[in-house]
Amino acid sequence: MQSPFIVEVNEQNFRQVLEGSMQAPVLIHFWASMSQESADIIPELRNLAQQYNGAFTLALVNCEEQQAIAAQFGIQALPTIALFVNGQPVDGLGGPQTIDNVQSMLNKHLPSQDELDLKKALELIQQNNHAEALKLLQALPEEMKQKGDVKLATADCLLEEKQFDVASQLLEHIPLEYQDNYYKSLIAKLELHEQTANSPEVQALEKALEADPQNMQLALDLAIQYHQVNRDEEALELLWSFLHKDLNAKDGDLKKSFMDILSALGQGNSIASKYRRQLYAMMY
C-alpha cells in the first residue's frame, strides 16, 4: 500500500506536492535508473519517511520519465536532493549521499522527536485518549514539561485519569499568560470534583474514624466513599494502613475492596501501580 508520506512526482501533481510544503517539509529526490547511487538510496529514503511518520513528505522524481520537471529545477547531476519548506527551497545535497547525511540535513529543519511526541499527545487528547497522551507528556524532557501549554495538557489528562491531587498542583503553577478559557475549564472541572469529593457522608465518616482510628468497618466504609468520589489514592492509603499489618484484616474484606479499586483504576494508572507493587511485595 502506498504511504501517504511518499509520492511519485509527475507533471500533473508536482505543483500540488510543492504546495504541500506549506504544511510539512517536502524532500525531493531526483533520481534515474542510469544513476545507480540515486536509485540505491531510495529504499532507505522510504524507510526514513515512514520512520518520521508525516514530519516530512518524500517526493521522488524519476528524471528519465519527468525530464521537463528536472529541467525546470535545473538538475544537472544525480542524485540531487532538495528540501522545500513553505514553498521555498531551504537546503539540498548533491552527489552520492549516505542516509545519515540526509537525516542530518532534515534534522536541521524538522521538529525534534520531543516536539513530535507533544504534537501526537495533543492529537490524542482531541481523540479522548488521555491515558496514552499522558504517557507521552510525562516522557518529555523536564524543560518542555515546564511550559504552560504542556502543563495545561498534562493537567487535562490527569483530571481525566482521576489523578486530581497531581492535577491541582500543576494548575497552581500555570503562568498568567496561559490562564485562558482552557485553563478556566480545567479549574472548573477540578472545583466540581472537590465539591463532590467532600460530601457530608465523607465528612461524617472521617470524623467518626478520627474518633475511633482502629475501627476497620469505618475505615472500609470511608475507603469505599473515597473511591466513589474519585479520591482513590486516599482510599488505597487508608486500606493499606491496615493491610500492611494483616493482609486478611476483617476476614479479607479490606483486601477485596483494595483489589477492586486497583482493578477499577487499570494497569496504566501510576497510583494503582504503586500500591500494586506494595501488595505483591507482601504476597510474594
Side-chain angles (χ1 to χ4, degrees):
M1 187 175 71
Q2 179 66 38
S3 167
F5 316 131
I6 303 171
V7 60
E8 303 278 351
V9 179
N10 54 46
E11 290 189 34
Q12 286 71 45
N13 69 4
F14 91 95
R15 188 171 299 279
Q16 180 182 355
V17 170
L18 286 183
E19 289 174 354
S21 70
M22 303 298 291
Q23 281 73 51
V26 174
L27 185 74
I28 304 180
H29 176 60
F30 297 91
W31 72 285
S33 58
M34 62 183 180
S35 167
Q36 191 67 38
E37 296 93 342
S38 70
D40 285 348
I41 199 173
I42 289 177
E44 290 181 293
L45 289 173
R46 287 180 174 273
N47 287 337
L48 197 63
Q50 296 284 27
Q51 177 186 330
Y52 276 72
N53 196 36
F56 76 95
T57 297
L58 173 63
L60 300 171
V61 178
N62 184 333
C63 295
E64 292 171 316
E65 297 177 358
Q66 308 298 332
Q67 295 181 18
I69 296 176
Q72 184 172 337
F73 281 96
I75 302 303
Q76 298 182 3
L78 296 177
T80 292
I81 290 176
L83 183 66
F84 279 73
V85 176
N86 294 325
Q88 300 296 321
V90 296
D91 212 337
L93 296 167
Q97 303 292 332
T98 66
I99 197 65
D100 289 340
N101 288 345
V102 177
Q103 192 166 3
S104 294
M105 182 192 73
L106 277 170
N107 288 342
K108 290 189 293 183
H109 304 278
L110 295 180
S112 68
Q113 187 58 54
D114 292 327
E115 290 169 322
L116 293 173
D117 286 344
L118 174 57
K119 180 183 176 183
K120 179 63 176 177
L122 297 177
E123 290 172 355
L124 288 168
I125 290 173
Q126 292 299 315
Q127 298 163 12
N128 291 318
N129 191 344
H130 295 86
E132 290 303 313
L134 185 58
K135 291 178 185 177
L136 289 173
L137 292 168
Q138 290 177 330
L140 292 174
E142 199 60 39
E143 183 181 353
M144 285 188 74
K145 287 194 282 190
Q146 294 306 312
K147 294 181 178 179
D149 56 341
V150 178
K151 283 186 175 182
L152 286 174
T154 305
D156 192 350
C157 294
L158 289 167
L159 289 171
E160 291 297 323
E161 292 300 295
K162 299 181 172 53
Q163 297 185 40
F164 297 100
D165 290 343
V166 188
S168 177
Q169 292 169 14
L170 265 184
L171 290 171
E172 287 176 3
H173 299 94
I174 299 296
L176 188 61
E177 62 267 29
Y178 287 96
Q179 294 184 20
D180 53 11
N181 288 336
Y182 184 28
Y183 165 81
K184 290 174 184 175
S185 72
L186 298 180
I187 290 292
K189 190 180 294 187
L190 180 62
E191 289 176 346
L192 179 61
H193 158 71
E194 289 173 347
Q195 291 168 9
T196 306
N198 203 25
S199 66
E201 292 84 359
V202 167
Q203 293 181 52
L205 284 167
E206 285 176 336
K207 189 173 182 180
L209 185 61
E210 186 179 350
D212 188 4
Q214 299 306 314
N215 190 317
M216 291 187 190
Q217 185 60 55
L218 283 174
L220 178 58
D221 291 344
L222 179 55
I224 291 171
Q225 281 291 324
Y226 278 157
H227 175 54
Q228 289 176 351
V229 296
N230 296 314
R231 293 171 66 175
D232 293 302
E233 186 166 14
E234 290 169 276
L236 290 167
E237 179 61 31
L238 178 55
L239 292 172
W240 186 249
S241 68
F242 291 92
L243 289 173
H244 84 276
K245 301 171 188 172
D246 179 7
L247 277 178
N248 293 311
K250 197 166 171 53
D251 297 325
D253 288 347
L254 270 65
K255 180 181 173 184
K256 180 182 182 305
S257 291
F258 188 85
M259 296 296 289
D260 287 344
I261 295 171
L262 292 179
S263 178
L265 290 175
Q267 291 292 329
N269 185 281
S270 59
I271 294 169
S273 297
K274 168 189 170 183
Y275 285 97
R276 197 176 282 114
R277 285 194 299 271
Q278 292 179 190
L279 177 63
Y280 291 165
M282 277 197 68
M283 292 174 65
Y284 306 108

